[in-house]
Amino acid sequence: MNTLVKHAGLRTAVFLLFAVLVSSGTAFAKLTATANHDRISVDFFYHGSTVSVRGVSDPGTDLVVKIASPEGEQVLRQKGKVGGLLWMNVGKLTFERVPTLYFVQSTKNLSDMLSEEEMNKHVLGYPALEKHSEVSPVASVAEKEKWFDEFVSFKEASKLYSTASGKISTTQEGGEQQYYILLDWPYQAPPGEYTVSVYAVKDNKVVDSADTKVHVEQVGIVKSLAGMAKNKAAAYGLISILVALGAGFGVGLVFRKGGGAH
Amino acid sequence: MYLYLPVALTSVNILIPVGLGLAVGLLSGLFGVGGGFLMTPLLIMFGIPSTVAAATDSNQIVAASTSGTYAHWKVGNVDFKMGIYLLIGGFVGGLGGVQAIKVLKAMGNADFVIKMTYVLMLGSVGTYMFFESLSSMKKTKTATATSKPVKESGFSKFLQSLPMQTHFEKSGVTHSALLPVIFGAFVGVLAALMGVGGGFLMVPVMVYILRMPMHVVVGTSLFQILFNCIEVTFLQAYTNHNVDFVLAVLLLIGSTFGAQVGAVFGRKLKGDQLKIILAVIVLVVTVKIVYDLTSTPSLLLSMGGGH
């Protein structure tokens, strides 16, 4: 068994997680996954970031990189046609077991490299995520499909969902395959913990996987203001009002001195 | 330059809120409206969640209307007495409106009723104001220098027969004190129903029912909007945690200046000119809402919250 792991080129690595070998007896390079930073700080001037993932894998394996937030429930307003003419909110739809953020990147098209069972098992790709999720209230499977597609469009519009192939670059070196991908991290992604999972694929099956985490957290003024809005709501409200009153009067005085009279 | 908004959880180019504030503040100082019917949809368009957009806008209006009220007060165009009666009515009406929403929601067609009320109110107020100011502009051209013809309609006779007749010195009108309270309440109910400040309704009420001069209407409207928005901002911050302080500050940088410029500029325009421009803006917004209602939306799902 080849247990050599190359550290070269991982200058920005913060930490490293090793996956345990899971498979059927052939020899592997242990799959590794490292994100360029495990912490994204959201400060006053934050406008999104980038996340790169790199590691080594067994030569000849295809790779899937999935980044997702923990699954949860999301309630969205549903638009529909009223009286055959007017579009308006007609109700609410609850999506369960869906992540807030869901990125899937693969070396090839997912359906060309994985069997349906494997995609479903590891929740890779929108069809698998749809099967994994629950949508209510819907009357039929077709309706669930329709609204899940709408859900994906909604998420893609906020840059929180994406799937694509061909962005992962690989190089072969010393009997190992090195991979690398750089992804834009959207500022729309809320604070929280995100899991980066890398899957090595051979013969339509996932043969190995490795995980790492990315934390997004608010810092400084952003953190204090967000905390105050939640935990000291009365004081926050009063300060907001006083600042607005002060600004209104202040500007009024400036204009009087500035010759606003006629 | 981009700034991150801690409550909206998104990043904006600061020129956008400052510019929007300036434009809407200008309208506020000119016409005595809060401008929520313009600002909230624009903020949503720029990626602010709808609940945060509405709550933060009310915080911003506190600043713009303080600035505007101050500018109008300096030239004696705020009728505080009338404003306070309207506020009393508005407060009661607001409470009633919140109850009405609960009833409508229980009946299951709240959104439809609310949207229809909104479109009909905007459309009819805009149309009426447009044609009325158009015809009175024509009249002043033909019959020069004749002071206002006092029309004794049945409605105004009825108004004069109401108890508690009070003289409102600033506005130069005499009404029953019940009148501003009742109409304040009426606007309050509708405003709460539609989730807007109601300035675009309050202005025509003051002009056409309370017969106040347009320039005093603008100042007095801003005065009562100021108090309404203080209440709404506090409730939104306290119960819904939806006020984004950073966004509010960016907006008010623009809107406080805009309100001053609007007030100065407004003095140079005649009452009828102000009315007709406001009518056109209200009608354009109505058309936009009808267009949005009838064209297929690109996304059929949106963030929850609000009503």
Side-chain angles (χ1 to χ4, degrees):
Chain A
M1 293 234 176
N2 182 2
T3 49
L4 263 180
V5 177
K6 281 213 168 176
H7 288 270
L10 299 183
R11 256 175 267 162
T12 52
V14 183
F15 68 84
L16 202 61
L17 277 176
F18 298 99
V20 182
L21 276 175
V22 234
S23 194
S24 51
T26 23
F28 293 110
K30 209 178 251 175
L31 179 69
T32 71
T34 311
N36 62 333
H37 41 201
D38 63 335
R39 231 158 257 280
I40 295 177
S41 299
V42 177
D43 61 16
F44 215 29
F45 302 103
Y46 178 69
H47 190 59
S49 183
T50 52
V51 167
S52 69
V53 184
R54 67 169 82 228
V56 290
S57 66
D58 203 38
T61 51
D62 278 310
L63 294 157
V64 183
V65 176
K66 174 168 95 171
I67 308 183
S69 66
E71 288 171 5
E73 182 190 285
Q74 293 182 47
V75 180
L76 294 174
R77 290 197 292 187
Q78 179 186 15
K79 280 202 176 73
K81 237 179 188 180
V82 178
L85 182 68
L86 304 173
W87 286 95
M88 52 183 71
N89 294 317
V90 289
K92 283 181 178 169
L93 274 181
T94 305
F95 294 83
E96 280 170 283
R97 310 220 296 163
V98 285
T100 304
L101 178 139
Y102 182 78
F103 291 168
V104 175
Q105 291 285 341
S106 47
T107 45
K108 290 182 198 153
N109 259 339
L110 277 181
S111 51
D112 294 340
M113 59 193 258
L114 276 169
S115 67
E116 207 183 312
E117 294 80 48
E118 285 288 283
M119 286 193 276
N120 291 342
K121 187 178 161 193
H122 299 280
V123 198
L124 296 174
Y126 293 147
L129 184 61
E130 188 207 320
K131 287 196 189 79
H132 181 74
S133 71
E134 276 164 43
V135 184
S136 63
V138 284
S140 62
V141 179
E143 212 178 301
K144 182 189 174 184
E145 232 168 74
K146 179 199 163 196
W147 285 105
F148 189 83
D149 287 349
E150 288 295 336
F151 177 73
V152 169
S153 312
F154 170 73
K155 285 295 200 173
E156 286 185 338
S158 350
K159 309 238 190 301
L160 291 172
Y161 273 35
S162 78
T163 62
S165 59
K167 277 192 200 161
I168 303 173
S169 62
T170 54
T171 49
Q172 316 292 330
E173 211 180 290
E176 284 175 351
Q177 174 173 261
Q178 303 198 348
Y179 69 88
Y180 174 79
I181 184 165
L182 179 68
L183 292 165
D184 283 330
W185 187 259
Y187 58 79
Q188 291 93 337
E193 188 185 79
Y194 297 84
T195 305
V196 181
S197 313
V198 182
Y199 302 89
V201 176
K202 207 166 197 174
D203 304 326
N204 291 331
K205 270 193 176 153
V206 171
V207 292
D208 201 355
S209 68
D211 282 352
T212 180
K213 303 271 186 200
V214 172
H215 298 266
V216 175
E217 57 179 17
Q218 299 180 327
V219 296
I221 309 174
V222 170
K223 190 182 178 183
S224 351
L225 282 173
M228 196 180 174
K230 275 210 179 71
N231 307 320
K232 291 176 188 159
Y236 180 87
L238 287 175
I239 291 172
S240 305
I241 292 165
L242 289 175
V243 167
L245 284 170
F249 270 119
V251 171
L253 287 170
V254 166
F255 263 71
R256 180 159 72 175
K257 282 178 188 158
H262 70 157
Chain B
M1 192 176 86
Y2 288 91
L3 278 190
Y4 189 78
L5 308 174
V7 173
L9 297 179
T10 188
S11 170
V12 287
N13 184 337
I14 60 169
L15 295 178
I16 290 169
V18 172
L20 288 179
L22 199 65
V24 176
L26 190 76
L27 296 181
S28 183
L30 265 174
F31 306 116
V33 295
F37 66 101
L38 285 172
M39 183 67 99
T40 307
L42 285 169
L43 288 176
I44 295 169
M45 206 175 87
F46 285 107
I48 310 296
S50 56
T51 48
V52 178
T56 306
D57 185 39
S58 58
N59 187 12
Q60 174 276 129
I61 295 174
V62 170
S65 57
T66 303
S67 174
T69 305
Y70 187 78
H72 287 278
W73 169 76
K74 278 188 304 196
V75 288
N77 280 339
V78 181
D79 188 333
F80 289 104
K81 189 176 171 184
M82 186 70 90
I84 286 165
Y85 282 120
L86 288 168
L87 268 174
I88 294 169
F91 182 76
V92 177
L95 293 178
V98 172
Q99 292 305 314
I101 290 172
K102 280 186 190 158
V103 174
L104 284 173
K105 284 209 166 138
M107 284 160 61
N109 53 356
D111 273 314
F112 184 77
V113 174
I114 290 166
K115 275 274 172 170
M116 286 298 105
T117 315
Y118 199 12
V119 169
L120 289 177
M121 286 313 282
L122 277 175
S124 48
V125 163
T127 312
Y128 180 78
M129 223 175 2
F130 182 80
F131 286 109
E132 189 279 334
S133 33
L134 197 68
S135 71
S136 86
M137 275 164 100
K138 277 181 194 158
K139 260 183 220 158
T140 43
K141 260 184 197 164
T142 49
T144 39
T146 39
S147 60
K148 264 187 195 169
V150 187
K151 277 183 268 171
E152 281 288 320
S153 65
F155 182 62
S156 61
K157 268 184 197 154
F158 166 72
L159 294 184
Q160 281 164 19
S161 71
L162 290 170
M164 297 169 73
Q165 291 291 326
T166 317
H167 184 63
F168 294 91
E169 218 171 292
K170 264 278 138 60
S171 305
V173 292
T174 304
H175 287 302
S176 161
L178 293 174
L179 204 60
V181 174
I182 290 166
F183 279 96
F186 170 73
V187 173
V189 170
L190 290 174
L193 263 182
M194 297 179 282
V196 294
F200 74 94
L201 291 172
M202 194 58 100
V203 168
V205 161
M206 285 193 273
V207 172
Y208 298 118
I209 294 168
L210 301 176
R211 303 267 162 198
M212 293 161 62
M214 185 62 186
H215 287 96
V216 182
V217 165
V218 174
T220 310
S221 174
L222 286 174
F223 169 72
Q224 70 98 30
I225 284 172
L226 164 62
F227 282 88
N228 276 338
C229 284
I230 287 176
E231 186 198 348
V232 173
T233 303
F234 186 77
L235 290 178
Q236 284 278 14
Y238 188 66
T239 55
N240 299 332
H241 313 296
N242 276 336
V243 174
D244 195 304
F245 181 75
V246 177
L247 179 59
V249 167
L250 292 173
L251 289 168
L252 68 82
I253 289 172
S255 71
T256 47
F257 280 96
Q260 291 288 333
V261 175
V264 171
F265 192 56
R267 274 175 238 151
K268 296 186 173 133
L269 292 173
K270 293 197 182 78
D272 286 329
Q273 291 171 319
L274 284 175
K275 276 188 264 175
I276 207 159
I277 303 170
L278 178 60
V280 169
I281 293 171
V282 168
L283 286 174
V284 168
V285 171
T286 313
V287 170
K288 165 85 171 91
I289 293 173
V290 171
Y291 174 79
D292 287 347
L293 279 172
T294 49
S295 55
T296 309
S298 60
L299 293 174
L300 294 182
L301 292 169
S302 62
M303 295 295 278
H307 65 251

